[in-house]
Amino acid sequence: MVIKQLSVFLQNELGRLEEVTDILYKSDINISALSIAETAEYGILRMIVSDIEKAADALKKEEFNVKISDVICVESPDVPGELHKILQILSGNGINLSYMYGYSNGGTARLIMKVSDPEKAILLLK
Amino acid sequence: MIWNEPMECMSRDQMHDLQSRRLKDMVVRVYHNVEFYRKKMQEMGLEPGDINTIDDLVKLPFTTKQDLRDNYPFGLFAVPKSEVVRVHASSGTTGKSTVVAYTRKDVEIFSEVVARALCCCGVTKHDIVQVAYGYGLFTGGLGLHYGAEKLGAAVVPISGGNTARQITLLQDFGSTVLACTPSYAAYLSEAIADEGIDAAELPLRIGVFGAEPWSQEMRMKIEDGLKIKAYDIYGLSEVIGPGVSNSCECQNGLHIAEDHFVPEILDPSTLQPVAPGVTGELVFTTVTKEAMPLLRYRTRDLSSLDYGPCGCGRTNVRMAKIFGRSDDMLIIRGVNVFPSQVESVLLEIPEAKPHYMLVVDRQGSLDTLEIQVEVDEKYFSDEIAQLNNIRNKIKHKVESVLGVSVIISLVEHKTIKRSEGKAQRVIDRRKI
């Protein structure tokens, strides 16, 4: 399904991520998935959270650069070859993958993917 | 050796008379031929007849870089355009350069003062001078070129950059003199060492370095690395270009070609003259130039003057090595950079906010300029490729205006300190 992801621009500075988690904690926001992309000077924190609007507002109030974007969440059996199948379908249909992160638990894997056409990707992967 | 002993070794009284005669003549020329100066003098109730000796210099109006910009490109010419044989230009804040012009006689003066400067460094007609200053609108390359030719030396007009070729020609041609910026000389010295070449084996013996501030420590480092004697050449295009002054073998200040360029040192806040030896803003009046003579041009460079005798035999006044600048202009690898130039570029880019900080540093021997830019929230992306596109767009635009390479760092919005008064836009970490 297509879900909303919250991204935060972070300078590479000691304690900067902790400030974000502190704000989310005080706003009673739960983080269900998270990844950080890092470059030499800055990082981009990407998260799936329990209440995205509330989280975004709380962070904006503290002067963070935030962005809400559409990503897809794909559930698949946690066995060899499953990711490969998904990627084959996407590339075979001309859908670009910008980045992804995921986790597996109890025989099921969940993948968060940023793709060029989320609606089409969902239809193809169903 | 002294190139022009009558002009470089006259008594102070003789110099006073010469400068007085030349100033009187110059004031008549600018009053009648340059509307800008005529208006200024009329506003001050001055007529050419009020200026009789060089001591009357203090009565005359100032000229600033802004005046040159306001009269861009040819508004300050004191001769018909047909008399101009060359123009040069330096970088300006809004992409507009400040233009300077030369008649045939001005080019002759330019060559003369550079020949004097080279002679001051011990260069002779037997030398091979590798000119690694940039050729073009910048006065460095052609200035050194004409001066070295006038002296009778052989010129290798290689221009700036292309380090591998510079080294090859130093070896193959056996260049004995290198003219470039001190930072490039230091870089070249490291490159020569990296190539496994012993600098002592090269015929190179003299360095003529200028166009940016440098320290005694840097001089020693370059002298040791290249196994040469390094000299300081000073100049600015508005006055003529390199050759306004040069250090001699005594290495105790730079002799000014004051029969052409009359110096003053003023307190930058009151604009009143200070006593010899006191540091202030260096101001020049070009008493002989024809195409674009300037009255009391404020260089913004900080220095002091020493009228005492010098061990080399020259009597021309010496200016101390430049201490710094009285305004915010930065000199990065020999190129003039104004924070306001960066601002004007950022204002044209919607993805960036006009809040920025310039961080100047020196890595090894080369100046680096980092520009921290806040990204507009609307354009913040969760994809690094997008952010890199924004950064590259800013980098290309800024570089095309400044003419030097820069490092762009994207920072969180509102992290750059806001100021209500004069903003602190520059952090200069260079230790000169």
Side-chain angles (χ1 to χ4, degrees), chain B residues 10-26:
Chain B
M10 71 178 83
S11 71
R12 294 307 314 167
D13 284 348
Q14 285 173 311
M15 183 58 80
H16 185 275
D17 290 349
L18 180 68
Q19 287 178 337
S20 298
R21 278 203 309 279
R22 288 181 168 180
L23 177 68
K24 247 174 100 74
D25 170 69
M26 176 220 181

Side-chain angles (χ1 to χ4, degrees), chain B residues 60-125:
Chain B
L60 289 162
F62 291 106
T63 312
T64 63
K65 203 172 180 80
Q66 189 58 46
D67 293 328
L68 266 68
R69 283 197 200 107
D70 292 346
N71 290 282
Y72 175 90
F74 301 151
L76 293 179
F77 284 15
V79 295
K81 262 183 271 175
S82 57
E83 295 303 306
V84 170
V85 300
R86 196 199 295 173
V87 290
H88 278 291
S90 64
S91 60
T93 37
T94 51
K96 240 188 201 182
S97 310
T98 52
V99 176
V100 293
Y102 306 74
T103 63
R104 196 171 299 283
K105 190 184 151 213
D106 292 338
V107 170
E108 179 51 37
I109 293 169
F110 195 5
S111 312
E112 157 75 18
V113 296
V114 175
R116 282 188 203 175
L118 289 170
C119 216
C120 228
C121 307
V123 181
T124 72
K125 65 181 297 240

Side-chain angles (χ1 to χ4, degrees), chain A residues 80-96:
Chain A
E82 282 301 316
L83 174 62
H84 181 62
K85 275 191 232 163
I86 293 169
L87 294 179
Q88 262 185 332
I89 294 169
L90 292 178
S91 64
N93 288 278
I95 294 175
N96 253 317

Side-chain angles (χ1 to χ4, degrees), chain A residues 11 16 41 46 65 99, chain B residues 380 382-383 391 412-413:
Chain A
Q11 252 161 265
R16 201 64 182 140
E41 335 122 30
R46 301 157 181 153
N65 277 29
Y99 57 81
Chain B
F380 164 57
D382 56 316
E383 293 180 38
R391 188 178 56 190
E412 289 179 38
H413 77 140

Side-chain angles (χ1 to χ4, degrees), chain A residues 5 7-11 16 37 39 41-42 44 46 60 63 65 67 69 98-99 114, chain B residues 375-384 387-388 391 408-415:
Chain A
Q5 171 191 262
S7 308
V8 188
F9 184 85
L10 291 177
Q11 252 161 265
R16 201 64 182 140
T39 71
E41 335 122 30
Y42 60 84
I44 302 171
R46 301 157 181 153
K60 272 189 207 164
E63 310 291 3
N65 277 29
K67 186 185 169 85
S69 44
S98 300
Y99 57 81
K114 176 77 184 275
Chain B
V375 178
D376 192 290
E377 203 172 0
K378 289 198 294 291
Y379 294 95
F380 164 57
S381 168
D382 56 316
E383 293 180 38
I384 285 173
L387 290 175
N388 280 345
R391 188 178 56 190
I408 303 291
S409 298
L410 302 180
V411 299
E412 289 179 38
H413 77 140
K414 301 210 176 156
T415 51

Side-chain angles (χ1 to χ4, degrees), chain A residues 21-37:
Chain A
T21 53
D22 184 50
I23 292 164
L24 296 181
Y25 165 59
K26 285 179 178 149
S27 309
D28 200 30
I29 305 282
N30 189 40
I31 304 168
S32 46
L34 167 154
S35 91
I36 294 176

